[in-house]
Amino acid sequence: MSAEESWTVTATIPDRNLKPAVNETSGFDSGTGIFRSVYNLDEHHVLPTRPNLDTATYVLSQFPSPYEAESPIALIDSATGGKVTYAQLHRSIRSLATGLYHALGVRKGDVVFVLSPNSLLYPTICLAVLSVGAILTTANPLNTESEIAKQVSDSGAKLAISAPEELHKLTPTGVPTVLTSKLASKDESLTIEELIEACEPVEIEQERPTQSDTAAILYSSGTTGTSKGVILTHANFISVMTLLKWCVEVSKAQQDVFLCFIPMFHIYGLAFFGLGLFCSKTTTVLMQKFDFKAMLDAIETYKVSNIPAVPPVILALVKHASKAGCDLSSLRRVGSGAAPLSNEVAEEFRRRFPWVELRPGYGLTESCGAATYYVSDEEAKLHSASCGRLLPKFCAKIVDPETGKPLPPYKEGELWLKSGTIMKEYLGKKEATAETIGTDGWLKTGDLCYFDDNGFLYIVDRIKELIKHNGYQVAPAELEAILLGHPQIVDTAIIPVEVEEAGQIPMAYVVRAANSQLTEDQVIEYVARQVAPYKKVRRVGFISAIPRSAAGKILRKELVLHSKNQTISRL
């Protein structure tokens, strides 16, 4: 062997003192600054790669056989007890798709606007619209007439499907509208119920949508800015449903019964209850809208085992459930998403309900509702302030907002995400799309976060919501978590108030408990004892309720406007 050959061989021997670039525990690659999921999909949860596959076809392929003698229950109306089997749901979807195509002329690429609260019909409508290759856009029934008109125009809706009580908001738009049910006994309007009954399912002879085609345009909550239409493809939904199926089944111990009060017009409700859970053949008890006592009754009556929830609901369970006297022993798991859940509330929940697994998660409309998850309750307890680890097929970076460089564990920066669930773009907003999605496909979330050395993600706050006080950054979520620990505070929100000498100061809006005489000075002192001086609350306003989006996010811009109006009125 020559000297050159000898050098070549010895140069390839690894240095055993060097650590591998990718840490198997955290998924962090020190060479690239990228965190990768430490979880993998198994052979039962393979992500479909066939390009000519659409969301509805994928979901229906996961249904139990429609010819089973006793089809499993898919949906239960919590108020009436009415049930829909998987066989009935399968037929309704195909019948409505036939009616939309042949009777109403809905074609591939047409936008269908849905304005309705949760109902047994909602999943049928969504899957039927997607079955004909049309594009789904959904709206909050609480939206005003002008907000509805703006979304109808922005999305280019060709047809609307509306609950009868919301029809008056759509009439001024001139868009053809089909009601979900009769407005009155003598009403001659065509309804979705009639279409389902009248139309025998037949094959739709047109080009099927592909994974790259648009499936839905969902409008972000606009809690800090204007609402934008998020374009999600069939590939996005198929990816998120595969992950959801894995999440449900990876820790499934028995037949699950889920409770749905999350609105299906929101990505959380749509991805979970309108589409995804059917892939796991579970049963869902459906509430038209959230009511705390009705929720407790539904859990007891239908032996609910799983509740995908939002932080205000978990807070209500902590503060009020023990007084209601309902049997919650069937509960096994409560999820939390759509908004941050404070560690204090999470710990108190686990203390009051020790038999229930609490599993917070994280996702955005722009990521089709997905990003992180806890595989086990042990993980959730050990890392209780976190929102879980990255889901399979996800990558992330923590990026320094000033330098743009990726950061290692325990360093705070903006969370960037990449996966098959990431949106295509914002509708008609090239500049906003370019600001949010880089040319290399990374979604810039706008959330200030960090990972620990086990790969668990911690949300600090929205970067745009950080309060800048005398050059220091104050996270509203931290102060809100402290205030929620006060026994006389039911709910709270922190906003910035502009002042000349310090830039901004934190102001707390507080909802007091019944009969509480809590004062502004007491609130200020309570926080001051627990934080650094620059984080202190400087003003307090008492309010009857904190304004929140349907998903539980604090609508801070409404409170900022309220504080400005209050200041003006005092001048």
Side-chain angles (χ1 to χ4, degrees):
M1 183 181 289
S2 68
E4 182 177 349
E5 288 172 328
S6 176
W7 179 86
T8 303
V9 172
T10 56
T12 60
I13 297 175
D15 185 342
R16 299 188 185 278
N17 294 318
L18 292 177
K19 293 182 179 180
V22 180
N23 184 294
E24 293 183 1
T25 305
S26 66
F28 180 64
D29 185 334
S30 58
T32 62
I34 294 174
F35 291 85
R36 302 181 188 278
S37 176
V38 298
Y39 303 132
N40 292 304
L41 295 177
D42 55 41
E43 67 273 14
H44 302 295
H45 304 92
V46 178
L47 193 63
T49 56
R50 181 160 55 95
N52 59 334
L53 179 66
D54 62 271
T55 305
T57 299
Y58 176 77
V59 173
L60 290 174
S61 73
Q62 306 296 308
F63 272 33
S65 170
Y67 306 108
E68 288 183 14
E70 291 188 18
S71 179
I73 302 297
L75 297 164
I76 302 174
D77 187 308
S78 68
T80 67
K83 296 179 174 67
V84 177
T85 67
Y86 273 90
Q88 291 168 330
L89 182 60
H90 189 282
R91 187 192 184 284
S92 294
I93 292 165
R94 295 193 63 225
S95 294
L96 182 54
T98 299
L100 291 172
Y101 186 83
H102 290 288
L104 300 180
V106 177
R107 295 293 183 267
K108 179 182 176 182
D110 289 345
V111 177
V112 178
F113 183 96
V114 179
L115 182 65
S116 172
N118 288 354
S119 72
L120 294 181
L121 276 176
Y122 209 111
T124 298
I125 292 168
C126 294
L127 284 162
V129 167
L130 295 172
S131 288
V132 297
I135 298 168
L136 185 70
T137 188
T138 57
N140 188 342
L142 295 178
N143 283 1
T144 64
E145 191 175 295
S146 62
E147 288 171 325
I148 297 296
K150 180 182 177 183
Q151 185 173 333
V152 167
S153 174
D154 190 62
S155 65
K158 300 290 181 64
L159 176 74
I161 298 173
S162 172
E165 63 272 16
E166 305 300 334
L167 177 62
H168 66 282
K169 297 178 183 176
L170 280 161
T171 302
T173 69
V175 65
T177 303
V178 181
L179 299 180
T180 54
S181 58
K182 292 290 186 185
L183 187 60
S185 58
K186 295 182 179 179
D187 186 9
E188 296 182 0
S189 303
L190 179 66
T191 69
I192 293 298
E193 291 175 338
E194 289 171 335
L195 270 178
I196 293 171
E197 288 298 318
C199 296
E200 196 66 30
V202 297
E203 292 300 319
I204 295 171
E205 297 179 358
Q206 70 164 357
E207 182 185 358
R208 301 297 303 163
T210 67
Q211 289 209 42
S212 61
D213 288 328
T214 299
I217 304 169
L218 301 184
Y219 283 75
S220 61
S221 57
T223 53
T224 57
T226 57
S227 182
K228 297 182 284 292
V230 176
I231 295 180
L232 298 170
T233 66
H234 288 275
N236 294 149
F237 279 109
I238 291 169
S239 293
V240 83
M241 286 186 294
T242 302
L243 294 174
L244 177 58
K245 189 171 188 286
W246 176 82
C247 289
V248 170
E249 296 177 2
V250 73
S251 55
K252 189 174 180 180
Q254 62 188 57
Q255 181 60 38
D256 284 312
V257 177
F258 284 79
L259 181 64
C260 171
F261 48 76
I262 303 292
M264 289 191 201
F265 62 77
H266 186 271
I267 185 61
Y268 192 2
L270 178 62
F272 219 100
F273 295 107
L275 303 170
L277 275 182
F278 299 126
C279 297
S280 295
K281 307 175 183 64
T282 58
T283 298
T284 296
V285 179
L286 204 61
M287 295 177 65
Q288 186 178 52
K289 60 181 180 180
F290 178 75
D291 176 270
F292 185 69
K293 183 61 169 64
M295 178 193 74
L296 298 180
D297 290 340
I299 294 169
E300 182 173 0
T301 301
Y302 300 105
K303 306 303 178 188
V304 170
S305 59
N306 274 272
I307 306 178
V310 291
V313 173
I314 294 170
L315 179 63
L317 283 167
V318 166
K319 300 233 175 196
H320 307 299
S322 60
K323 304 171 188 174
C326 287
D327 180 9
L328 305 183
S329 60
S330 64
L331 268 185
R332 291 193 300 108
R333 188 171 301 131
V334 172
S336 179
L341 177 68
S342 75
N343 190 37
E344 289 76 10
V345 172
E347 289 181 352
E348 183 62 16
F349 179 92
R350 291 190 175 98
R351 189 185 70 80
R352 289 178 180 267
F353 307 99
W355 69 93
V356 181
E357 299 178 6
L358 178 62
R359 299 192 187 181
Y362 171 82
L364 310 90
T365 305
E366 289 85 347
S367 68
C368 212
T372 67
Y373 179 69
Y374 284 106
V375 165
S376 70
D377 191 43
E378 288 71 25
E379 286 185 349
K381 288 178 179 177
L382 286 172
H383 306 271
S384 59
S386 164
C387 55
R389 282 168 157 169
L390 291 171
L391 283 161
K393 306 291 185 180
F394 265 84
C395 296
K397 290 181 185 178
I398 300 295
V399 177
D400 186 319
E402 300 296 327
T403 66
K405 294 181 178 179
L407 300 170
Y410 295 107
K411 294 292 186 179
E412 293 180 3
E414 183 180 15
L415 175 67
W416 290 15
L417 294 171
K418 183 182 281 190
S419 84
T421 71
I422 302 302
M423 72 169 186
K424 183 178 181 179
E425 61 186 326
Y426 289 122
L427 179 65
K429 297 185 183 294
K430 291 184 178 180
E431 186 174 329
T433 299
E435 291 174 355
T436 305
I437 301 182
T439 54
D440 50 0
W442 287 98
L443 172 70
K444 304 171 186 177
T445 68
D447 286 316
L448 186 68
C449 308
Y450 68 90
F451 283 97
D452 67 16
D453 54 13
N454 288 294
F456 288 89
L457 180 68
Y458 296 78
I459 310 295
V460 179
D461 217 321
R462 290 288 295 171
I463 290 175
K464 290 182 179 179
E465 291 180 353
L466 291 175
I467 297 169
K468 308 293 174 45
H469 178 71
N470 280 333
Y472 292 100
Q473 292 188 152
V474 181
E478 179 185 356
L479 300 182
E480 288 158 2
I482 290 170
L483 286 169
L484 287 174
H486 195 293
Q488 296 182 52
I489 294 177
V490 174
D491 203 0
T492 187
I494 300 291
I495 65 164
V497 173
E498 304 291 336
V499 292
E500 187 174 344
E501 64 275 12
Q504 294 177 328
I505 58 171
M507 175 180 178
Y509 273 100
V510 169
V511 179
R512 287 179 287 206
N515 302 318
S516 170
Q517 300 299 316
L518 194 66
T519 67
E520 179 177 20
D521 287 343
Q522 288 172 329
V523 172
I524 291 172
E525 175 59 26
Y526 179 76
V527 176
R529 291 198 303 265
Q530 303 180 63
V531 298
Y534 70 89
K535 294 181 181 179
K536 291 193 300 185
V537 167
R538 312 282 168 154
R539 292 183 193 172
V540 177
F542 295 102
I543 196 168
S544 60
I546 300 298
R548 294 179 181 271
S549 71
K553 293 181 181 177
I554 296 169
L555 299 175
R556 294 187 203 277
K557 61 184 179 182
E558 291 189 14
L559 291 173
V560 170
L561 182 61
H562 182 274
S563 71
K564 289 180 179 178
N565 290 339
Q566 291 293 102
T567 301
I568 292 171
S569 68
R570 289 196 296 266
L571 296 178

